[in-house]
Amino acid sequence: MAERTIHTTAAAMISAFDAHRPPEREIIEDCVHCGFCLPTCPTWLLWGEEMDSPRGRINLMKLATDGEIGLSPQVRGHFDACLGCMACVTACPSGVRYDQLIEATRPQLERNTPRPLGDRIYRALIFSLFPHPRRMRFMLPLLWLYQKSGARRVVRSRWLQQRLPARLLAMEAVLPPVRLRRRGALSFALTTETPDAAPRTRVGVLLGCVQRVFFDEVNAATVRVLATEGYEVVPVASQGCCGALSIHAGREHEGLRYARRLIDAFEAARPDAIAVNVAGCGSVLKEYGHLLRDDPAYAGRAATFSAKVRDISELLASQPPRAPRHPIAARVAYHDACHLRHGQGITRQPRELLRQIPGLDIAEPAEADICCGSAGVYNLLAPEPAAQLGQRKAANILATRPDALVAANPGCLLQIASSLAQQGHPLPTFHPIELLDASIRGVPLAGLPMTSSHVE
Amino acid sequence: MTDTTASPAVAHTPTIPAITPRIVAELRAMLGDDGVITEMAELRTYESDGLASYRATPGVVVLPTSTEQVRDVVRLCAREGIPFVPRGSGTGLSGGALPTPGCVLIALSRMRQILAVDLPNQRVIVQPGVINLHVTQRVAPAGYYSAPDPSSQQVCSIGGNIAENSGGAHCLKYGFTVNHVLGMRVVLANGEVADLGGFAVDLPGYDLPGIFVGSEGTLGIATEIILRIVRKPEAVVTALAAFPHTDAAGQAVSDIIAGGVLPAAIEIMDRLSIAAAEAAVHAGYPESAGAVLLVELDGVQPEVAEQSAQVEAFCRAAGATEWRLARTDEERALMWKGRKSAFAAAGRISPNYIVQDGVIPRTALSAVLREIEALGARYGLRVANVFHAGDGNLHPLVLYDERDEGAFERAEALAGEILRTCVASGGSITGEHGVGMDKRGYMPVMFSEADMATHQLLRCALDPERLANPEKVYPTPRLCGETPGVYRPHPLETAGIAERF
């Protein structure tokens, strides 16, 4: 006979979570088990298993909270498999804050469920590299040499592809083409750009880590567009990593250390608004207030900081355009980065900005709410599901027959570009701000055909 | 909910054989390691479906991908005498996919291939795990859709729709799942594979698909389903009318249908459900209204235009304070989104709630709603109402807070009273959510002893060993071969194989 459990008497059991910020029971109990989250969950789409769905994961959290299951490596596996795309948060009719639940669960696992040595080393490598733009730049010549010499072809040979560790190959696969002249191209952010007309707002721009090393042209475009649209861009010196990668991976201590330093850096520049062009970073920046709520020295400052954070599209779309736009005759597929669409609820603004560009035809691929598999460093940690999701995304994008792919997150662009290339249909990729910048300046974009048969 | 008549421990099934390592090994050989779940923490995520107030742990969960795999699993169950319970997306609201403790839970969530699309003949063939909405998405570009649209259509599976004979807002005009399933390949409880119905309509012989649809997994598992798809209508009008009270809205419904208009859908939401839906999806419903009526008309353009004017006139005559037409597909989708999210959205206005499902004659609408209101007042609980008004399918949501002493018991009792009111008005204990675990105690309220015995005859003919979802639908289940009346020990009991609790 089935057991009736309306009245939970969990008192007898001791939670498997430790006392430091466990997932909140009240949020867990908001879940009414309706299952509306399932079809938007990438891992449920892949595997069709309850414990790899948001509802199942919340169930596991509840069982662990009630002390009915322990945080075994197997249980951890189901949380590790979560991409953190937050599509379930958008889909949930009951308003369950799964984002807060999973973010509270991950550090618990890092503390209480030790990982095997190899995994620990691999993670240590990732987190001692990606949040550090200087270290990444230091590696650029080596990567350049790797790509220009025959080494890349050797690694991509079938023999080695079958023998090298999947995680290593995953990292190799999403590596963007390296250009050496990028080294040190950061100075623009340290100079003040003052518009001709009365400035709208003082804006500090977050440079990002991967963004500033591999996509410095996105940052350059961001600063140019802001200036021509009448914003005063103030330099924010010595800004480091925002902590998004660490926080999303449960490395709470490390992530919060980055967060505090970033708050210090931006406070010195006294901006009215903080513009972010990386969806994942923006999402975490907006959460600083919540993340640092227990820190007496930072709680108030973090809340003030978070209140100023705007995605670049959010900021620009809030005011009518000033500079004239020149036509770009191309068809682009717009991909919603999960941390924009689900993390920040931003879908309208980037499309509005793109629609300001005359001649630009915007395609909407199917399954827009499904993650591409990049998910921060997920594609490096769990290459197999990430690759399957990437292939699925690439197929949906190609079905719209675009000339280029546009997305507001470097991770998505690298991931999807790699999947498109594997399907034999590489596409040029852009951040929306690059298109806007090119349109304002009236210059062609490398790789984008300036005439297109798709234009009506 | 409350099984007031039966004793709480209804462990009527013979003692369930344990899932031994030998059986697990056999299952792994059939399905691969990846298709068999045995870890306790993982099994426990399968302990409930959409009705989370019941839970039980399965002995093992299997994830087959083909008819053959389902057949092999069921054969093994039949050979070993282990009960099995099928599960689709696990969104059912009557506990139909609740595991029988220690059972083999057959999760069909990996059988999600659309096997064939035959547009000229308006048929698709799907596996049971295919999500309802995905069928429509697949054929929509060609101008077709699948008509049954339960509110959970974005997640519920076709297999689950078959088990529950699911309806939805549009079944007033287009019928329930049973009207759209032409044939099925099914794995029966003994592991035999049979084809029921087929590609053509109205096959000779017994209406076997009709028997299978709505059988809640007690007769076997459908593994390939031939579904009808229908042409998208030339014109669709979706309108929202606001009323000061549900009475007036109910009157408008009666007038519309008596006036000879058959809308594709006609739905009422009361004040509380409007508030919940607004909090959840911001559908733009008039929040001051006492009731909202959603009407959808479809057909050829001139007909729809004329009917729309008629419906507006009926609504205004009944006291509508606002009449609003959806101007775009987005507006239409938003109007529906509010309605379709209503159940889950109740979580926004109450910590806990029971979703009830009952049917009444359309003409009894006002009287029954007043009765429900009075019952709510008597029990000191709020009841939100959402319903498919056209066919009298009510969905009262009994709101309570489990932290209040005795609140759950009162809510359950109230939900039960509501069902009795439905039956007394000439209706039924369920419109579309099924009986499952939740309402089996109410079957005798509707059916006589002889009626129930007829149901048992059919069940025993197809599942004599009572292995297919054995605990569901019927209240004080008997072992097959046992006749109703004065207690006589069953042969299995005398043989010491089975035990009665």
Side-chain angles (χ1 to χ4, degrees):
Chain A
M1 176 64 194
E3 177 194 346
R4 300 306 308 265
T5 54
I6 280 298
H7 300 285
T8 326
T9 45
M13 302 285 216
I14 295 165
S15 172
F17 294 115
D18 64 37
H20 178 67
R21 289 188 180 178
E24 287 176 46
R25 180 185 284 278
E26 287 205 348
I27 305 181
I28 290 174
E29 287 178 354
D30 281 342
C31 173
V32 299
H33 224 251
C34 70
F36 275 44
C37 52
L38 300 184
T40 64
C41 176
T43 53
W44 192 79
L45 282 182
L46 290 181
W47 306 321
E49 293 175 343
E50 190 68 25
M51 57 277 186
D52 280 310
S53 76
R55 180 173 69 176
R57 292 186 180 112
I58 292 174
N59 213 330
L60 291 174
M61 290 174 198
K62 184 173 165 51
L63 292 167
T65 302
D66 292 346
E68 296 192 40
I69 61 170
L71 301 177
S72 66
Q74 189 163 23
V75 167
R76 182 189 57 208
H78 299 302
F79 293 116
D80 279 353
C82 167
L83 291 103
C85 69
M86 307 308 166
C88 53
V89 179
T90 307
C92 178
S94 301
V96 176
R97 292 296 305 268
Y98 177 84
D99 51 337
Q100 293 188 4
L101 290 178
I102 189 74
E103 261 172 33
T105 302
R106 293 199 203 272
Q108 291 274 347
L109 295 166
E110 292 308 307
R111 282 196 296 275
N112 300 318
T113 316
R115 295 180 182 280
L117 183 64
D119 197 15
R120 285 214 299 279
I121 293 172
Y122 184 70
R123 278 167 196 262
L125 175 75
I126 285 178
F127 291 100
S128 59
L129 185 60
F130 291 100
H132 303 278
R134 284 212 184 86
R135 293 180 198 169
M136 269 192 286
R137 259 200 311 283
F138 178 76
M139 293 191 57
L140 285 182
L142 298 172
L143 294 174
W144 181 83
L145 200 64
Y146 165 75
Q147 291 183 345
K148 293 297 161 189
S149 70
R152 175 175 219 163
R153 229 169 332 136
V154 175
V155 167
R156 292 199 171 175
S157 71
R158 178 177 296 204
W159 192 84
L160 271 178
Q161 289 279 315
Q162 285 165 354
R163 282 161 181 82
L164 286 174
R167 284 175 158 187
L168 194 68
L169 292 173
M171 210 184 273
E172 197 276 338
V174 295
L175 188 66
V178 175
R179 278 173 292 164
L180 279 184
R181 60 166 180 77
R182 278 185 179 155
R183 291 186 68 205
L186 287 173
S187 49
F188 64 86
L190 305 176
T191 58
T192 307
E193 292 265 3
T194 313
D196 307 333
R200 279 172 159 164
T201 318
R202 280 168 61 87
V203 179
V205 176
L206 182 84
L207 299 175
C209 302
V210 171
Q211 188 83 317
R212 83 177 84 162
V213 177
F214 292 106
F215 295 95
D216 55 344
E217 63 275 13
V218 175
N219 283 338
T222 303
V223 172
R224 276 196 299 268
V225 171
L226 280 171
T228 48
E229 290 296 277
Y231 296 87
E232 181 187 355
V233 181
V234 295
V236 181
S238 68
Q239 50 169 303
C241 174
C242 69
L245 287 183
S246 305
I247 287 164
H248 290 151
R251 300 166 75 95
E252 186 183 17
H253 187 70
E254 177 183 282
L256 294 184
R257 201 175 64 232
Y258 288 134
R260 291 187 192 96
R261 273 198 233 146
L262 198 73
I263 291 171
D264 294 343
F266 273 84
E267 273 179 351
R270 292 179 298 105
D272 301 317
I274 297 161
V276 188
N277 57 24
V278 182
C281 303
S283 206
V284 157
L285 259 52
K286 288 182 176 178
E287 281 173 44
Y288 274 5
H290 177 74
L291 292 165
L292 288 164
R293 63 192 182 282
D294 300 337
D295 182 336
Y298 277 87
R301 293 161 65 193
T304 310
F305 178 96
S306 286
K308 290 181 183 174
V309 175
R310 298 284 180 279
D311 182 72
I312 183 67
S313 66
E314 203 180 4
L315 186 65
L316 291 171
S318 67
Q319 300 283 339
R322 280 189 183 173
R325 270 62 167 159
H326 299 91
I328 298 178
R331 179 172 167 84
V332 297
Y334 179 73
H335 161 75
D336 285 299
C338 291
H339 275 105
L340 266 195
R341 185 184 179 105
H342 305 300
Q344 301 179 54
I346 294 175
T347 52
R348 178 179 52 83
Q349 297 91 329
R351 290 173 172 81
E352 267 177 30
L353 294 184
L354 291 173
R355 275 198 290 269
Q356 290 172 1
I357 301 172
L360 193 72
D361 182 17
I362 303 154
E364 298 280 352
E367 298 193 340
D369 50 347
I370 306 297
C371 179
C372 67
S374 166
V377 290
Y378 186 91
N379 50 353
L380 306 182
L381 293 169
E384 270 179 47
Q388 289 171 26
L389 291 168
Q391 296 301 333
R392 187 173 175 130
K393 183 59 73 183
N396 279 323
I397 285 166
L398 288 172
T400 66
R401 310 176 64 79
D403 299 320
L405 166 69
V406 178
N409 199 51
C412 306
L413 291 174
L414 291 173
Q415 162 82 358
I416 304 173
S418 151
S419 302
L420 287 166
Q422 280 170 31
Q423 294 194 6
H425 298 280
L427 286 176
T429 60
F430 300 102
H431 190 288
I433 202 73
E434 291 179 275
L435 290 181
L436 203 59
D437 174 55
S439 165
I440 289 172
R441 293 196 295 152
V443 297
L445 276 169
L448 196 62
M450 282 296 115
T451 55
S452 169
S453 54
H454 298 294
V455 177
E456 288 143 46
Chain B
M1 274 269 149
T2 326
D3 210 339
T4 43
T5 45
S7 83
V10 207
H12 51 83
T13 36
T15 314
I16 293 169
I19 309 288
T20 59
R22 175 182 58 84
I23 290 170
V24 171
E26 265 193 73
L27 289 169
R28 288 192 197 284
M30 291 170 191
L31 305 166
D33 287 353
D34 181 42
V36 182
I37 296 168
T38 55
E39 198 65 31
M40 184 47 77
E42 298 179 335
L43 292 177
R44 295 207 54 187
T45 63
Y46 283 92
E47 63 190 8
S48 297
D49 60 7
L51 183 64
S53 53
Y54 288 94
R55 61 184 211 194
T57 314
V60 61
V61 176
V62 295
L63 296 150
T65 55
S66 66
T67 300
E68 292 68 34
Q69 290 188 346
V70 175
R71 178 200 61 199
D72 292 348
V73 171
V74 171
R75 277 188 186 162
L76 184 144
C77 291
R79 192 191 73 208
E80 302 287 335
I82 305 169
F84 63 90
V85 175
R87 175 185 168 111
S89 295
T91 58
L93 293 168
S94 59
L98 175 78
T100 290
C103 74
V104 174
L105 186 74
I106 304 180
L108 299 157
S109 47
R110 283 188 187 163
M111 291 185 70
R112 47 187 168 190
Q113 301 283 322
I114 295 179
L115 300 169
V117 177
D118 181 353
L119 290 176
N121 289 307
Q122 300 192 202
R123 306 276 192 273
V124 294
I125 304 179
V126 301
Q127 289 189 316
V130 168
I131 288 173
N132 175 299
L133 189 60
H134 291 181
V135 178
T136 289
Q137 284 172 351
R138 176 67 173 273
V139 297
Y144 293 90
Y145 72 108
S146 165
D149 62 336
S151 297
S152 57
Q153 69 182 127
Q154 57 174 289
V155 51
C156 64
S157 69
I158 296 295
N161 294 170
I162 286 175
E164 306 299 325
N165 188 18
S166 304
H170 291 78
C171 59
L172 169 62
K173 184 170 177 178
Y174 291 98
F176 288 76
T177 300
V178 70
N179 303 105
H180 296 268
V181 172
L182 292 154
M184 279 166 291
R185 175 157 295 172
V186 301
V187 176
L188 297 169
N190 60 3
E192 293 294 315
V193 177
D195 286 342
L196 315 181
F199 232 74
V201 290
D202 195 22
L203 293 185
Y206 296 124
D207 178 16
L208 293 179
I211 288 167
F212 199 88
V213 174
S215 63
E216 306 198 20
T218 60
L219 302 181
I221 299 176
T223 56
E224 286 172 37
I225 300 113
I226 305 171
L227 283 180
R228 191 199 301 273
I229 49 170
V230 292
R231 264 263 176 221
K232 263 193 250 177
E234 177 191 288
V236 179
V237 165
T238 308
L240 178 156
F243 291 88
H245 193 267
T246 44
D247 265 6
Q251 189 57 49
V253 172
S254 291
D255 294 347
I256 290 165
I257 293 175
V261 180
L262 180 56
I266 184 158
E267 305 277 309
I268 297 180
M269 298 173 70
D270 73 353
R271 189 187 302 278
L272 279 172
S273 4
I274 295 169
E278 275 305 298
V281 299
H282 314 291
Y285 295 156
E287 286 194 66
S288 59
V292 153
L293 183 67
L294 277 179
V295 188
E296 193 156 284
L297 299 159
D298 65 10
V300 289
Q301 187 72 53
E303 183 195 6
V304 168
E306 193 191 316
Q307 287 185 339
S308 169
Q310 277 178 289
V311 170
E312 182 181 354
F314 283 126
C315 286
R316 292 207 186 274
T321 53
E322 191 182 337
W323 172 261
R324 199 195 290 170
L325 291 174
R327 285 160 303 183
T328 59
D329 282 348
E330 287 74 36
E331 285 189 9
R332 183 193 332 282
L334 196 59
M335 278 187 186
W336 277 118
K337 195 174 180 191
R339 165 61 189 88
K340 297 203 170 189
S341 307
F343 291 171
R348 305 265 183 169
I349 56 169
S350 174
N352 309 92
Y353 56 96
I354 295 171
V355 178
Q356 193 50 288
D357 169 42
V359 181
I360 57 167
R362 193 167 51 232
T363 46
L365 204 58
S366 295
V368 171
L369 287 180
R370 272 194 297 272
E371 175 81 26
I372 291 176
E373 206 172 307
L375 284 170
R378 181 145 28 101
Y379 281 84
L381 293 169
R382 296 180 301 164
V383 182
N385 277 294
V386 221
F387 39 97
H388 308 307
D391 41 21
N393 187 182
L394 303 186
H395 290 309
L397 304 163
V398 180
L399 312 180
Y400 67 98
D401 185 340
E402 69 176 18
R403 288 165 298 189
D404 296 345
E405 186 66 32
F408 170 69
E409 286 75 12
R410 272 185 295 137
E412 259 206 329
L414 171 54
E417 285 289 332
I418 291 174
L419 277 194
R420 289 174 198 279
T421 306
C422 291
V423 174
S425 77
S428 151
I429 57 168
T430 170
E432 53 190 9
H433 295 174
V435 177
M437 193 67 174
D438 192 30
K439 288 184 178 170
R440 49 184 203 159
Y442 290 95
M443 290 292 270
V445 179
M446 285 205 67
F447 296 109
S448 72
E449 188 74 5
D451 298 345
M452 298 284 280
T454 310
H455 284 249
Q456 285 305 314
L457 281 177
L458 177 67
R459 184 179 199 169
C460 291
L462 286 168
D463 180 18
E465 304 302 325
R466 297 199 44 115
L467 296 178
N469 211 6
E471 295 178 296
K472 311 297 163 58
V473 189
Y474 298 98
T476 46
R478 303 183 179 88
L479 300 170
C480 290
E482 182 187 349
T483 48
V486 182
Y487 171 74
R488 280 179 294 136
H490 185 275
L492 279 178
E493 285 179 86
T494 12
I497 296 168
E499 242 181 297
R500 190 187 304 255
F501 290 83

